Amino acid sequence: GVINIITEKPQKRTIRFTGEGGSQGTVNLDLYASDLVGPVGLAVEGNYFKTDGYKVVREDQRGAIDINADSEHKLFSGKLEYSLSPTAALYLHGSAFTEDRSNGTPLTHNATDAGYVGGGINFKTADGSDWKFAAFSNLQTLTSTFSSTGPGRNSETPSIDQFAVPSTAVGAALQWSKQVHERHLVAAGTDFRWISGESDEDFAFNSTLGRFTRRREAGGEQQLTGMYLQDIITLDPQWQLTIAGRLDLWQSLNGFRTEQTLPVGVITLDRSFPDRDRVAFNPRVGLLYRATDRLSLRGSFYRGFRTPTFDELYRLSQVRNDVVEANDRLDPEQLIGGETGFDYAFASNLLGRVTGFWNEVEGLIINTTVGTGPGTIPPCGPVPAGAVCRQRQNVDRSRFRGIELELEFRPHPYWTLSGSYLFNDAEVLSAPNQPDLEGKRIARTARHQFTLRADYANPSVLNVSVQGRYIGDQFDDDLNLQKLDGFFVVDLQLSRQIKPGWEAFLGVENLFDRTYEVAKSAGGTVTIGAPILAHGGIRARF
């Protein structure tokens, strides 16, 4: 599937404000304003968010180094539109984002600065064709620090200082669509993206000297070029057929990795990686049959394609003492699969949906365990005692199969009750180069999930929403040794209009303050999810 994000168009003299505060020192302020002056539309938005956060390590395992994982970010965005005619418009939009985060200890920290600018034109021609052209540029810089923790989590030592992780992307896309006769809605397009990125980091901290003794730089470029064609065919009022295909060319270029000693700067490693490319054709066929006014049947067959990210190719990371090394030789993932299901209205106020799916992935990229410390383990280097070295690697063949059930009941105009259940069986089928992985469940994938929700919507009195979410047990590692227990959390939302255009709201996340596991290191250190968080405020529209 494709996620299509459509930004809001400027409106005549509109101002919206949200002011929100909550527990854990949480503050969220958002201001949006737009106006139309003749053919020109302008919209701007600013957002500020801050929270003191919480201690992310389970309470019984905390030591002297554990502090709150706080976060603060600022965002500004704007959009300018100019209507050339009733059927044509130019637009320009951009944004700037900055964030600072603590990762729960004094020596672990992240900072991100990102900027985006893009523009394009949308127009219709006399033959009924819709045309869209867009171009963009995206710049981002990340800094990140990691540490190794001592016994009892009472001390920590710097392990990696990623002082610069810059990336740049530019791209463009052209799309054409047209209703051809009464039966065919045809769309075609092409897109291009060029990305450059690298990770510059210091490592091998010497406690005696009080400084890092080695520096590593790794990075490269990617080019992605694609074209696609789709036809939605209305065979008759009951049958609809979708046929689509996309051709992608992926190129990995100018990859490099260097290492040097500090402070003298002696080069100890200087590698250039050969350029690589891959061509992939991904078809999709979907069929919809409206059997009756109450019953619709559907099915689809598809192939998918995902290229490795720069994080996966070049950037080392660390979770607690466990090290995850990048892999510049990763290949793209390729998926083939299908799904079938039906939608059925049992009554005018009772709707059901059932979907079954079966997907297989060639070359799934996972964090594969290479070895356990203490000692130097290639490709990670020094690994503390009890910690593991993992590397991102392609797995030959994996399978994701399951079923999703959804039900919605409206017993009264004010009330909506809904629920959903997902069974997702995800495992490695074949891994000749990593035989220990065969038959193992894919990490961070729960087999069972369900959601229950009740909504009461009566604007003159109160709007209430209560939602319960269950996530079943899962594993945090490829070998299925670090099990994460299942959990159930409840969220509550209340809102009420206090006068036209003004609304007061209150939300409570994790209402019963459940402590639940979200990650576990090889040494057994458990990272927990957010505790109870209450927040409320005012939304206003002028």
Side-chain angles (χ1 to χ4, degrees), residues 55-62 515 517 524 526-528:
K55 293 181 173 65
V56 297
V57 172
R58 197 173 65 194
E59 185 174 7
D60 62 303
Q61 297 180 335
R62 293 172 193 163
T515 299
E517 303 173 340
V526 176
T527 301
I528 60 173

Side-chain angles (χ1 to χ4, degrees), residues 274-330:
D275 296 345
R276 294 186 293 151
D277 58 69
R278 178 74 63 86
V279 176
F281 175 69
N282 298 305
R284 179 179 182 271
V285 178
L287 186 63
L288 172 65
Y289 173 52
R290 299 180 180 90
T292 68
D293 291 340
R294 292 188 173 188
L295 176 64
S296 294
L297 306 174
R298 50 189 160 75
S300 62
F301 167 82
Y302 43 79
R303 291 190 63 183
F305 176 77
R306 187 185 81 88
T307 62
T309 67
F310 276 93
D311 250 16
E312 294 166 337
L313 288 166
Y314 303 118
R315 181 173 174 258
L316 181 146
S317 65
Q318 186 171 330
V319 181
R320 306 292 173 245
N321 287 351
D322 299 338
V323 180
V324 181
E325 178 60 274
N327 185 352
D328 53 80
R329 303 305 300 166
L330 290 173

Side-chain angles (χ1 to χ4, degrees), residues 334-494:
Q334 289 190 303
L335 175 147
I336 184 170
E339 65 177 52
T340 185
F342 65 87
D343 305 328
Y344 185 67
F346 298 93
S348 60
N349 62 347
L350 181 60
L351 306 176
R353 173 188 290 254
V354 177
T355 303
F357 59 90
W358 185 298
N359 299 313
E360 293 194 8
V361 182
E362 292 183 4
L364 181 70
I365 298 172
I366 67 173
N367 297 337
T368 303
T369 300
V370 177
T372 303
T376 299
I377 304 174
C380 297
V383 176
V388 299
C389 164
R390 297 189 178 98
Q391 185 183 36
R392 298 178 175 98
Q393 296 181 3
N394 293 107
V395 173
D396 183 52
R397 193 159 61 95
S398 304
R399 181 187 63 206
F400 300 78
R401 61 181 178 180
I403 188 170
E404 185 173 18
L405 310 175
E406 300 172 81
L407 196 64
E408 182 180 290
F409 178 47
R410 295 179 177 270
H412 185 275
Y414 292 156
W415 285 94
T416 301
L417 307 176
S418 60
S420 65
Y421 167 74
L422 172 65
F423 170 74
N424 183 15
D425 181 29
E427 67 175 60
V428 176
L429 294 182
S430 174
N433 297 326
Q434 307 106 332
D436 291 342
L437 298 183
E438 293 185 358
K440 297 293 192 300
R441 287 166 57 181
I442 302 297
R444 300 291 186 92
T445 306
R447 275 187 175 152
H448 304 280
Q449 301 180 48
F450 70 77
T451 300
L452 300 175
R453 184 181 177 110
D455 294 283
Y456 175 78
N458 186 352
S460 62
V461 179
L462 191 66
N463 298 319
V464 183
S465 177
V466 181
Q467 176 178 273
R469 296 176 292 119
Y470 172 77
I471 307 295
D473 64 88
Q474 52 193 307
F475 293 98
D476 198 33
D477 68 312
D478 56 320
L479 298 176
N480 292 183
L481 300 176
Q482 307 301 328
K483 185 179 179 181
L484 303 175
D485 294 332
F487 60 90
F488 181 77
V489 294
V490 176
D491 302 325
L492 171 68
Q493 294 183 13
L494 307 173

Side-chain angles (χ1 to χ4, degrees), residues 121-134:
I121 182 171
N122 302 329
F123 63 95
K124 290 186 177 182
T125 53
D127 65 348
S129 296
D130 283 305
W131 293 87
K132 296 180 180 180
F133 173 76

Side-chain angles (χ1 to χ4, degrees), residues 17-22 26-30 47-50 73 505:
F17 172 75
T18 299
E20 182 178 4
T26 301
V27 176
N28 183 36
L29 303 174
D30 190 271
N47 175 258
Y48 173 77
F49 175 85
K50 178 183 180 298
H73 74 241
F505 64 91

